[in-house]
Amino acid sequence: MNQDAKKLAASVYGRVNAPVVERCRLNFCTDLEKSVLMSNFERRGWHQVGPDDEWNFYWASTQTCRNLFSVESGYRMNDNQMINHFPNHYELSRKDLLVKNIKRYRKELEREGNPLAEKSEVVLHGGQVGTRYVHLDFVPITFVLPADYNMFVEEYRKSPQSTWIMKPCGKSQGTGIFLINKLSKLKKWSREAKAPFHPQLSKESYVISRYIDNPLLIGGKKFDLRLYVLITSFRPLKAYLFQLGFCRFCTVKYDTSVTELDNMYVHLTNVSVQKHGGDYNNIHGGKMSVQNLKLYLEGTRGKAVTDKLFAAMQWLIVHSLKAVSSVMANDRHCFECYGYDIIIDNQLKPWLVEVNASPSLTSTTVNDRILKYKLIDNILSVVLPPDGVPDVRWNKQPNPEALGNFDLLIDEELLEKDEPSSSIGKSIKNIKNRVT
Amino acid sequence: MESIKEENIHHTALKLAEEIKNLSIYKSFYSDIQKLVSSPNVKKEDFKQTLQQAMKEKGLETKLRNTIYHLVRAQNKQTKLDPLTTLSKASAQWEKRIHKSLNSMCSDLETSLAKLRPQSEQEEIAEKWQELSTYNLDLSKYRPVYAPKDFLEVLLTLSGYVPFTKDDEPKWEFAHLPLQVKSLDQLRKVYPEWASGELLLGANPEATLSAERAALGARVAALRYAPLAQEFLKRGSPHCLRAQLWAHVLGVELSTQQIAYFNKLKKNVLEVDLMIDKLIFKDVQLTASNDDQYFVFEDLLYQVMLCFSRDGEVLQQLKGSVGNPLTVTIKGKQTSLDSITVFPPSGIIPFHGFTMYATPFCYLYDDPVQLYYTFRAFYVRYWHRLHYISTHPQGIVSLCLLYERLLEANEPLLWIHFRNININPIRVVFKWLMRAFSGHLPPDQLLFLWDAILGYDCLDILPLLAVAILSFRKENIFQVNTIQNVDAVLADLSTISVVPLLQLALMKP
Ligand SMILES: Nc1ncnc2c1ncn2[C@@H]1O[C@H](COP(=O)(O)OP(=O)(O)O)[C@@H](O)[C@H]1O
Ligand SMILES: [Mg+2]
């Protein structure tokens, strides 16, 4: 074979060969016996033990993780143990705290005079003028209720035609969410929630966010993106983006008319919502891959705008992480894979909707299973040192081959060294260049 | 020597000039030029020079060049076909069977092939035109008229040969047809850029190549010159330019006339209820609606496929290649001349998976009309050859034969393995060939493959890819010995990188 043919062969075969996995016997423990997890552990020849045994690797629920780290538990992890959550992940994954942290982050940058916090004036829906962050305007305006009620009303008055979305802070899968287009509806809700026969509701806090009423539609339907982001450290920040995300489509055409305001099949993209609809298809599950979304956008809208959109999504992820990095308990035993929910509007601007600390590992379709299996496999190979044994002393700089379908988003430690040759540095510099 | 050549060129030019006069665009083109001549830009003293310059500036030169290009291409492709009697007989019989099956489906379901739609139904369809997925139809009793495997059975009877009689006899059925196909070495001459290892999009992911191709491609697209666009496609199109480049190569340009024509097709769908419509709905549902790559385009596909069935221009352009469609009376219409319709007006009866010929275009066009015309041009140029029996060198029979020959010559061990396990190797790849791999390859890979089809104006790449995939998976095929298991080995093509695989096959070892 000549040189070119060899190169070709490598690129052909490279896609099919599964990387050889180091077989070393780790003890793992899990709260979640999902098949995509168990089959990965089994393939690696790991041995399952209970939570009270000596485990090296724990795939825990967020609750278990918080308990383990709580002072009362008195549990101390050793150097060869690892767990899949940061103890205070909720700084990112609770809807109210996420927004609070982002607001604080922007304020801090502003105080420092950082160019990232540049602001400009925009004309709002109602014709009034407001100010927006130029580079950090990636979450819809949000208030916590009941605490920020007055602030909300002030914002509401600026553009009374807007629709708002109410979400309970601590719930997921679309439960408890509803849309509001009149202040009176909110007042009615708060009266009912405070009513004596609903005492439990009054304690619950909500976020209310500007509803993105101009989502990008494909085939007339709304969708959002589920992207997976792996964090191995918050200080210095080390984050990876999984290439194989997907779009989750509504089963019903998008329709902004008031009569459809309560139709969750039109507005909420959660699979847990959509699968109850009559039009749910369980072969594809309403999921289309992000790669195909990209292909479609490049084909129909052009490359420049598509590249800009994808760069903006990376930007959004990195800054949402920076916004919490100072408050996260950066325990070296922890890593975490977050599920980012992102909506793209019809101007191809991405908006961060929420971050999940326990993205679903249930497989709804065959492709879903393949994707999630790869996700777990790639997570394991990124978070474990090359010899396959957890070790907190490891510098958390995996070999390029270990990344699988993950791309490095940012590694502040590498940036610090500022190796001009590293490809990683380049992509971050690109992001930096957008600002300076 | 030179003078003979010159004379030849002169002669051809005269002939073409005569032929252009018969084209539909001639009148408007001529009047455009007349207008130009009377403009101040064109000087009497330097008539030729200034007119040429003015034509260039107005884009008329490109239009003329493209017209000649398409004219010459059409003539070159009109190779006199040797009408093999066995084939034309089989083809006529097959057509009869299809018509019979349509008719009996009709009487079983107590419906008619064509009838007027009641007003209420017309209104409902018109209202739901953008979301026909919500148009409720009971299709449970409708079955596709035929599937690729039925068509294959027909093809396998063509030579009337019974396999496995003697050891040293030529094997497999197609080999007995007196058709010429290329060897791998001859294919290398058809695809010189691929064979010589030039850098191709889809094979070399380096950013520099994509940037270079994107910059060059943008210039090519701006020129709107068909032969140049075609040349460019040989090495693969950037995704963002494909919609334009394909349209240029195929001579598709949206005019107000064409938009009006599309609306006429739509109007006919609304007015007349053809039984074909149910089959189209059924086919979209069975294919695209269940496919995670295409389900979002379901509603677009209903529009395009329904209108396609009404398009008499398709039949006109394919006269002689697609048999003789039925003519039926539209029930409920006043008996008059227009109560008779060709069934369907396009002359094309869809089979199971027919929609897949159109689905990849959804990644290029949002607008149903643009999608429609590029898809239609592609169909008329290539896809009809994949589901009609003919001796055409690009027809399905020749492609099957090419596949066999390539496999036998280049993968003899596989060939023997198939013999030993008593499986005709065409069976495991036929559906790929018949659908031009649509629905089997991921869309980005498929689009690179179709770039090459347009770029080289040749379907030979389909059987070549089939062989390349088999050869790539051969170790796994050697380990199985039933057709189900071979199918299982070949079922998932989502990890196949089309361009490197093909280039590897075409490059000399
Ligand atoms: N601001 C918004 N604008 C438009 N749609 C939204 C907005 N917020 C949420 N949604 C829709 O509602 C869904 C559920 O909201 P999310 O914040 O993810 O809550 P949950 O935790 O219940 O999944 C999202 O996936 C999205 O489709
Ligand atoms: Mg969510």
Side-chain angles (χ1 to χ4, degrees):
Chain A
M1 242 194 263
N2 65 27
Q3 211 45 39
D4 287 336
K6 254 189 218 148
K7 241 197 285 171
L8 271 173
S11 71
V12 175
Y13 294 98
R15 289 180 60 148
V16 177
N17 278 355
V20 189
V21 178
E22 284 285 338
R23 285 198 158 239
C24 65
R25 223 168 146 72
L26 285 194
N27 289 336
F28 77 92
C29 180
T30 182
D31 292 343
L32 206 70
E33 305 230 334
K34 293 277 180 206
S35 78
V36 290
L37 283 174
M38 297 308 282
S39 51
N40 264 296
F41 298 149
E42 268 157 33
R43 189 172 72 94
R44 285 166 191 256
W46 291 2
H47 178 66
Q48 186 168 10
V49 298
D52 298 328
D53 299 318
E54 289 213 348
W55 48 266
N56 306 105
F57 189 99
Y58 199 159
W59 196 281
S61 68
T62 51
Q63 187 59 47
T64 304
C65 182
R66 281 198 301 272
N67 292 346
L68 267 178
F69 278 97
S70 72
V71 191
E72 302 93 74
S73 86
Y75 193 88
R76 292 270 308 190
M77 276 193 231
N78 68 37
D79 281 358
N80 300 113
Q81 285 185 306
M82 194 161 226
I83 190 161
N84 66 323
H85 293 289
F86 287 89
N88 57 342
H89 58 82
Y90 44 78
E91 295 287 350
L92 192 60
S93 62
R94 258 188 75 113
K95 297 177 175 64
D96 48 349
L97 294 179
L98 170 69
V99 173
K100 193 185 112 200
N101 283 315
I102 288 176
K103 285 183 182 172
R104 182 186 35 75
Y105 173 65
R106 297 193 291 213
K107 284 262 162 56
E108 279 168 11
L109 291 174
E110 206 173 340
R111 224 173 296 130
E112 285 169 18
N114 192 313
L116 279 176
E118 181 189 340
K119 280 176 157 181
S120 75
E121 297 200 328
V122 290
V123 181
L124 301 176
H125 248 342
Q128 291 203 24
V129 176
T131 57
R132 291 276 181 280
Y133 288 92
V134 178
H135 310 292
L136 298 174
D137 178 34
F138 55 77
V139 282
I141 296 181
T142 298
F143 301 95
V144 181
L145 294 183
D148 302 338
Y149 182 77
N150 291 337
M151 266 153 52
F152 164 70
V153 172
E154 195 181 313
E155 186 69 31
Y156 174 89
R157 296 240 154 89
K158 286 187 197 158
S159 50
Q161 313 85 325
S162 308
T163 304
W164 295 80
I165 184 166
M166 283 281 284
K167 306 190 265 190
C169 295
K171 293 212 174 101
S172 65
Q173 307 200 315
T175 37
I177 297 182
F178 56 96
L179 305 193
I180 277 185
N181 65 339
K182 284 200 203 76
L183 211 49
S184 59
K185 204 172 157 192
L186 183 61
K187 285 182 180 148
K188 180 164 169 266
W189 167 82
S190 83
R191 268 198 312 278
E192 280 169 10
K194 285 210 186 85
F197 41 89
H198 275 141
Q200 76 281 14
L201 281 182
S202 58
K203 276 194 224 112
E204 194 164 28
S205 62
Y206 273 71
V207 291
I208 187 161
S209 306
R210 186 178 70 78
Y211 186 67
I212 297 155
D213 57 4
N214 61 333
L216 174 67
L217 306 179
I218 301 182
K221 286 169 183 149
K222 176 177 171 175
F223 65 96
D224 75 349
L225 300 189
R226 164 51 59 88
L227 300 180
Y228 297 98
V229 177
L230 175 63
I231 311 298
T232 55
S233 157
F234 273 98
R235 288 188 309 276
L237 183 60
K238 292 172 188 266
Y240 304 83
L241 175 61
F242 196 53
Q243 296 154 349
L244 313 178
F246 50 85
C247 312
R248 301 177 294 190
F249 279 82
C250 286
T251 49
V252 177
K253 291 255 155 163
Y254 189 64
D255 183 341
T256 47
S257 54
V258 183
T259 48
E260 295 294 326
L261 215 56
D262 296 326
N263 185 348
M264 292 306 129
Y265 298 124
V266 174
H267 296 288
L268 302 193
T269 52
N270 304 67
V271 174
S272 45
V273 171
Q274 295 294 333
K275 73 174 174 215
H276 299 296
D279 295 319
Y280 182 76
N281 176 307
N282 50 25
I283 300 176
H284 55 66
K287 291 179 180 172
M288 174 167 119
S289 73
V290 166
Q291 296 106 296
N292 282 342
L293 171 71
K294 192 161 184 226
L295 181 70
Y296 166 78
L297 289 176
E298 281 186 11
T300 57
R301 307 283 181 112
K303 184 163 164 54
V305 289
T306 308
D307 285 351
K308 189 166 158 246
L309 166 68
F310 280 79
M313 290 200 275
Q314 298 198 357
W315 172 263
L316 165 169
I317 293 168
V318 167
H319 284 282
S320 66
L321 294 168
K322 286 190 165 190
V324 298
S325 64
S326 61
V327 294
M328 278 287 182
N330 190 44
D331 193 291
R332 289 191 65 87
H333 299 92
C334 305
F335 68 91
E336 196 153 24
C337 176
Y338 296 101
Y340 270 71
D341 290 351
I342 293 174
I343 288 195
I344 303 170
D345 72 19
N346 60 13
Q347 304 301 302
L348 296 193
K349 176 177 164 71
W351 294 93
L352 176 57
V353 171
E354 70 151 344
V355 182
N356 295 276
S358 309
S360 162
L361 293 178
T362 310
S363 313
T364 51
T365 66
V366 178
N367 282 340
D368 211 31
R369 195 192 137 72
I370 296 171
L371 179 147
K372 284 169 181 167
Y373 179 85
K374 273 193 200 151
L375 173 67
I376 300 299
D377 178 49
N378 291 178
I379 290 176
L380 297 182
S381 78
V382 173
V383 302
L384 290 167
D387 69 357
V389 184
D391 185 350
V392 293
R393 288 156 301 188
W394 178 48
N395 66 3
K396 298 197 173 183
Q397 288 179 9
N399 299 324
E401 311 86 68
L403 295 185
N405 286 298
F406 275 111
D407 288 325
L408 182 59
L409 264 180
I410 183 168
D411 183 333
E412 288 180 334
E413 195 177 359
L414 286 181
L415 279 182
E416 208 109 290
K417 284 190 210 144
D418 205 20
E419 290 172 340
S421 60
S422 82
S423 63
I424 311 118
K426 244 189 273 163
S427 70
I428 296 302
K429 270 195 211 110
N430 284 341
I431 294 183
K432 278 189 169 165
N433 284 343
R434 287 186 27 167
V435 180
T436 47
Chain B
M1 253 327 249
E2 272 304 290
S3 69
I4 294 178
K5 205 169 153 197
E6 211 131 277
E7 202 166 302
N8 255 337
I9 290 175
H10 181 68
H11 183 74
T12 313
L14 282 181
K15 212 172 119 228
L16 284 171
E18 267 320 296
E19 279 165 17
I20 287 176
K21 287 186 187 159
N22 297 325
L23 295 180
S24 58
I25 68 145
Y26 181 71
K27 235 176 98 189
S28 70
F29 189 76
Y30 191 73
S31 82
D32 281 347
I33 293 204
Q34 276 183 323
K35 272 184 221 147
L36 257 196
V37 169
S38 57
S39 78
N41 288 354
V42 180
K43 311 252 171 356
K44 203 173 162 189
E45 311 79 65
D46 193 5
F47 185 71
K48 191 171 170 190
Q49 197 76 38
T50 50
L51 178 63
Q52 277 181 345
Q53 187 56 32
M55 280 176 70
K56 237 185 214 151
E57 280 159 15
K58 273 265 180 270
L60 286 177
E61 194 203 54
T62 310
K63 198 166 176 183
L64 183 63
R65 278 170 179 267
N66 281 335
T67 306
I68 293 175
Y69 166 78
H70 289 297
L71 198 68
V72 171
R73 183 189 172 278
Q75 286 175 349
N76 289 345
K77 292 279 154 175
Q78 271 173 12
T79 34
K80 271 264 171 286
L81 288 189
D82 176 19
L84 271 181
T85 39
T86 49
L87 255 64
S88 31
K89 239 203 233 148
S91 152
Q93 266 170 10
W94 172 235
E95 187 176 35
K96 236 193 245 153
R97 261 177 69 191
I98 292 176
H99 292 168
K100 210 170 133 198
S101 136
L102 279 172
N103 274 314
S104 65
M105 199 182 323
C106 243
S107 52
D108 287 353
L109 297 170
E110 293 175 349
T111 178
S112 28
L113 286 174
K115 56 187 178 198
L116 272 191
R117 268 186 223 283
Q119 194 60 33
S120 60
E121 200 177 304
Q122 289 191 25
E123 279 161 20
E124 194 188 350
I125 297 182
E127 193 190 314
K128 292 188 169 166
W129 185 250
Q130 304 291 339
E131 43 178 334
L132 286 169
S133 53
T134 63
Y135 179 62
N136 266 330
L137 275 174
D138 177 15
L139 299 172
S140 54
K141 296 211 178 70
Y142 286 86
R143 300 271 173 273
V145 183
Y146 66 100
K149 64 176 187 322
D150 305 314
F151 187 50
L152 177 60
E153 292 313 322
V154 175
L155 297 188
L156 288 177
T157 61
L158 288 181
S159 72
Y161 172 75
V162 188
F164 309 125
T165 39
K166 269 190 220 118
D167 256 10
D168 50 357
E169 236 173 318
K171 301 107 199 160
W172 311 123
E173 295 80 347
F174 294 108
H176 292 264
L177 292 167
L179 295 174
Q180 289 285 323
V181 294
K182 297 189 185 72
S183 67
L184 185 55
D185 261 334
Q186 286 167 319
L187 280 181
R188 290 189 171 116
K189 297 206 177 76
V190 178
Y191 299 93
E193 291 81 3
W194 291 50
S196 64
E198 278 189 35
L199 297 182
L200 306 171
L201 267 193
N204 307 76
E206 289 99 53
T208 48
L209 179 69
S210 334
E212 193 187 299
R213 296 292 292 162
L216 181 62
R219 280 164 54 205
V220 171
L223 291 172
R224 318 179 68 87
Y225 183 37
L228 205 61
Q230 183 185 339
E231 190 61 29
F232 180 81
L233 287 182
K234 290 181 175 173
R235 290 175 54 201
S237 171
H239 299 315
C240 55
L241 295 172
R242 191 172 280 121
Q244 291 176 57
L245 293 173
W246 283 16
H248 296 167
V249 175
L250 293 162
V252 175
E253 227 171 308
L254 269 204
S255 59
T256 45
Q257 257 163 310
Q258 279 174 311
I259 295 169
Y261 181 72
F262 183 81
N263 286 330
K264 219 177 80 192
L265 301 176
K266 173 182 166 186
K267 187 159 163 270
N268 189 281
V269 174
L270 297 183
E271 284 171 4
V272 184
D273 178 357
L274 297 184
M275 203 207 32
I276 278 284
D277 300 347
K278 309 274 193 331
L279 296 172
I280 288 168
F281 270 98
K282 183 90 183 185
D283 195 51
V284 173
Q285 285 175 13
L286 288 175
T287 56
S289 308
N290 286 326
D291 187 326
D292 66 340
Q293 302 166 344
Y294 300 114
F295 73 94
V296 294
F297 307 118
E298 182 181 1
D299 287 329
L300 199 55
L301 289 165
Y302 288 126
Q303 295 173 39
V304 166
M305 300 319 280
L306 287 170
C307 287
F308 182 80
S309 71
R310 302 305 199 274
D311 195 340
E313 287 181 8
V314 172
L315 182 56
Q316 236 170 48
Q317 292 180 36
L318 293 179
K319 257 226 154 77
S321 323
V322 295
N324 302 303
L326 296 167
T327 43
V328 300
T329 330
I330 302 172
K331 266 213 181 142
K333 249 199 176 172
Q334 297 287 334
T335 20
S336 69
L337 217 56
D338 68 339
S339 67
I340 308 267
T341 178
V342 177
F343 182 86
S346 67
I348 311 295
I349 312 274
F351 58 91
H352 180 149
F354 186 75
T355 312
M356 294 321 255
Y357 289 147
T359 49
F361 295 92
C362 298
Y363 279 94
L364 307 186
Y365 306 98
D366 263 335
D367 172 36
V369 186
Q370 275 187 329
L371 194 163
Y372 181 77
Y373 282 105
T374 308
F375 155 64
R376 186 183 83 167
F378 227 111
Y379 180 86
V380 167
R381 196 183 267 202
Y382 303 110
W383 300 152
H384 73 277
R385 303 208 184 284
L386 299 180
H387 68 112
Y388 284 96
I389 301 171
S390 80
T391 53
H392 195 282
Q394 297 281 289
I396 187 73
V397 181
S398 298
L399 296 180
C400 287
L401 178 57
L402 176 59
Y403 162 78
E404 271 182 8
R405 293 273 166 83
L406 288 175
L407 189 69
E408 183 180 20
N410 301 287
E411 286 295 344
L413 292 181
L414 256 182
W415 181 261
I416 291 168
H417 178 66
F418 277 116
R419 254 184 83 107
N420 289 342
I421 62 177
N422 205 357
I423 294 173
N424 185 339
I426 191 68
R427 284 192 191 279
V428 299
V429 303
F430 185 73
K431 55 183 184 303
W432 296 344
L433 300 182
M434 191 168 165
R435 290 170 161 194
F437 284 92
S438 181
H440 297 286
L441 289 171
D444 61 330
Q445 296 299 311
L446 188 76
L447 293 171
F448 281 128
L449 180 70
W450 290 12
D451 277 346
I453 289 180
L454 269 184
Y456 291 97
D457 198 5
C458 180
L459 293 173
D460 290 347
I461 203 151
L462 298 176
L464 182 65
L465 179 60
V467 172
I469 292 173
L470 253 53
S471 139
F472 184 49
R473 299 251 166 107
K474 67 181 163 199
E475 293 310 325
N476 297 329
I477 298 176
F478 285 141
Q479 281 161 34
V480 294
N481 53 20
T482 63
I483 184 127
Q484 290 80 7
N485 288 343
V486 179
D487 279 343
V489 169
L490 299 173
D492 179 14
L493 302 187
S494 64
T495 54
I496 294 285
S497 297
V498 167
V499 179
L501 200 60
L502 277 168
Q503 193 167 30
L504 201 59
L506 282 167
M507 278 165 73
K508 277 234 161 65

